[in-house]
Amino acid sequence: MSNSKLYKGSLNTIILKLLNEQDKMYGYEITQKVKALTKGELNITEGALYPALHKLEAEGLLDVEVAKVDNRLRKYYKLTETGTKETANKLNELAEYIKTMQALVSPKLA
Amino acid sequence: MSNSKLYKGSLNTIILKLLNEQDKMYGYEITQKVKALTKGELNITEGALYPALHKLEAEGLLDVEVAKVDNRLRKYYKLTETGTKETANKLNELAEYIKTMQALVSPKLA
DNA sequence: ATATATACATAATTTTCTTATGCATAATTT
DNA sequence: AAATTATGCATAAGAAAATTATGTATATAT
């Protein structure tokens, strides 16, 4: 995924946020989109991505829809209503995390 | 540690940064300092902290010095030279992580 | 006397990721 | 034509980092 361990725990947030923007995406598309958006910084591995998608689906945050394009399989994922709410939560948590970490590493007023 | 999973992977960064400021600290002190700095947001658990300190010591990033205060044991940790360098790396990685995540969740120019 | 705070530690389990495979089709390169 | 790379899914074994649950011990507050 990256040389830094900090990305641990942020995969779900990334997936949900992308699906919040793009409406529907398939797995491989997510890996490519993340690579592009981060200029190669972040490479989501398949071993992390697919189990994560399956779990989000099992939890009712994602719906899946199978399609066949160019004789190849694609599984399109999209947010459920619950998934949309959870996306908002995750983004708040990320903002909170960043604020907290900045307070810890640059404690200007502490 | 927190309701958010995002803190996974950031414990070492937190420990190293605190020791970079405070010169030397003992485990319990670290948990209290973090709680105070984050206004209760982040509570480092002992099961996470002590193994982490032992590992950082084993890797040569921390030196330990045992003291007895009020008849109670304290293990003071401080950065080694290598530890100081690694602290700088970790802080760069954190800044990089925050930048990357912001590019992912608020892709203004994408 | 009892509970809370201080101070360390480890073991079992869970979560999340990496690494290694595996299958299959399409497109590109040699 | 053959081989490689890209597209697209999936899972299993193992590692890493945390949670949760204990355990020991002293000091302080109720």
Side-chain angles (χ1 to χ4, degrees), chain A residues 1-2 8 11 13 20 25-26 28 31-32 38 40 44 51 59-61 64 66 73 78 82 84 87 90 105 107:
Chain A
M1 197 169 180
S2 147
K8 236 182 209 311
L11 179 56
T13 304
N20 199 51
M25 296 181 85
Y26 55 100
Y28 186 74
T31 67
Q32 300 308 301
T38 66
I44 310 275
E59 290 168 351
L61 305 187
V64 69
V66 178
L73 193 73
K78 63 171 8 178
T82 313
T84 302
T87 303
K90 292 282 189 195
V105 305

Side-chain angles (χ1 to χ4, degrees), chain B residues 23-65:
Chain B
D23 187 49
K24 70 174 186 177
M25 297 181 84
Y26 57 99
Y28 186 75
E29 187 184 11
I30 292 175
T31 67
Q32 300 309 302
K33 183 75 178 176
V34 168
K35 198 185 292 186
L37 284 175
T38 65
K39 290 157 191 164
E41 237 299 278
L42 226 187
N43 287 290
I44 309 275
T45 59
E46 297 156 302
L49 178 66
Y50 291 115
L53 287 172
H54 300 161
K55 192 165 182 230
L56 289 170
E57 190 198 346
E59 290 167 351
L61 305 187
L62 299 184
D63 272 341
V64 67
E65 179 200 329

Side-chain angles (χ1 to χ4, degrees), chain A residues 8-104:
Chain A
K8 236 182 209 311
S10 44
L11 179 56
N12 285 348
T13 304
I14 293 170
I15 293 172
L16 293 175
K17 172 60 181 174
L18 289 182
L19 287 174
N20 199 51
E21 283 164 16
Q22 305 275 329
D23 188 49
K24 69 174 185 176
M25 296 181 85
Y26 55 100
Y28 186 74
E29 187 184 9
I30 292 174
T31 67
Q32 300 308 301
K33 183 76 177 175
V34 168
K35 199 186 290 184
L37 283 174
T38 66
K39 290 157 189 164
E41 242 288 286
L42 225 188
N43 288 289
I44 310 275
T45 58
E46 299 157 300
L49 179 66
Y50 291 115
L53 288 173
H54 299 162
K55 191 164 182 232
L56 290 171
E57 190 199 346
E59 290 168 351
L61 305 187
L62 300 184
D63 272 342
V64 69
E65 181 199 329
V66 178
K68 202 156 195 177
V69 179
D70 285 336
N71 206 32
R72 272 202 236 88
L73 193 73
R74 281 185 190 173
K75 286 193 164 179
Y76 281 99
Y77 290 92
K78 63 171 8 178
L79 293 177
T80 61
E81 220 174 292
T82 313
T84 302
K85 285 176 196 158
E86 184 56 19
T87 303
N89 286 339
K90 292 282 189 195
L91 290 178
N92 284 336
E93 281 177 12
L94 177 61
E96 196 60 43
Y97 167 81
I98 290 175
K99 253 179 57 186
T100 299
M101 286 302 284
Q102 278 170 343
L104 282 172

Side-chain angles (χ1 to χ4, degrees), chain B residues 87-98:
Chain B
T87 302
N89 287 337
K90 292 283 190 196
L91 291 178
N92 285 335
E93 281 177 13
L94 177 60
E96 196 60 42
Y97 168 79
I98 290 175

